[in-house]
Amino acid sequence: RLELVESGGGSVQSGGSLRLSCAASGDTDTTHCMAWFRQSPGKEREGVAALCSGTTVTNYASSVRGRFIISEDMSKNTGYLQMNSLKPEDTAIYYCAGMQGRYFVRPPLSNIEYNYWGQGTQVTVSS
């Protein structure tokens, strides 16, 4: 079982940057994937970036590719989402998600694949 806690959200102007963190605790010593999702009012939750342990392959939504970078530091049991060139349409609550014990050639961006979720952190981008 995993517990995930996000931090690093806030308010920034268009073009700015933020780095979100996702601290994991519990049974962290297993094969896993982690992802970042976001949800804004009236919209469905959207997967924006994902990675899996044991591979360097990452997966990004087309809306953030080239601007966001997902990474993790296994020594700290922490995942990150570096968000650059932020736009007002990036405004949302961002959630960290995790799964364990499965291997994917391409880290999934579908929320049905993940069974551990953080509480979310608000990101607001003003124009």
Side-chain angles (χ1 to χ4, degrees), residues 35-81:
W36 289 92
F37 289 78
R38 66 186 181 186
Q39 189 167 21
S40 52
K43 294 187 177 181
E44 293 188 354
R45 192 168 294 191
E46 171 193 22
V48 296
L51 59 76
C52 293
S53 61
T55 175
T56 58
V57 177
T58 53
N59 193 10
Y60 295 94
S62 58
S63 57
V64 306
R65 191 174 296 119
R67 299 189 297 122
F68 290 11
I69 301 171
I70 188 172
S71 63
E72 64 177 356
D73 184 340
M74 293 300 295
S75 68
K76 298 180 179 179
N77 292 325
T78 301
Y80 303 97
L81 184 68

Side-chain angles (χ1 to χ4, degrees), residues 8-113:
S11 297
V12 65
Q13 288 192 328
S14 181
S17 298
L18 283 174
R19 189 177 79 158
L20 305 182
S21 298
C22 174
S25 60
D27 183 14
T28 59
D29 295 331
T30 60
T31 300
H32 66 273
C33 296
M34 69 158 287
W36 289 92
F37 289 78
R38 66 186 181 186
Q39 189 167 21
S40 52
K43 294 187 177 181
E44 293 188 354
R45 192 168 294 191
E46 171 193 22
V48 296
L51 59 76
C52 293
S53 61
T55 175
T56 58
V57 177
T58 53
N59 193 10
Y60 295 94
S62 58
S63 57
V64 306
R65 191 174 296 119
R67 299 189 297 122
F68 290 11
I69 301 171
I70 188 172
S71 63
E72 64 177 356
D73 184 340
M74 293 300 295
S75 68
K76 298 180 179 179
N77 292 325
T78 301
Y80 303 97
L81 184 68
Q82 177 67 43
M83 305 185 295
N84 301 318
S85 302
L86 282 162
K87 305 174 182 180
E89 51 263 44
D90 294 319
T91 295
I93 299 174
Y94 283 72
Y95 299 90
C96 172
M99 68 163 99
Q100 294 176 304
R102 289 184 289 163
Y103 175 75
F104 291 85
V105 173
R106 189 178 192 195
L109 290 176
S110 171
N111 60 2
I112 64 173
E113 301 290 355

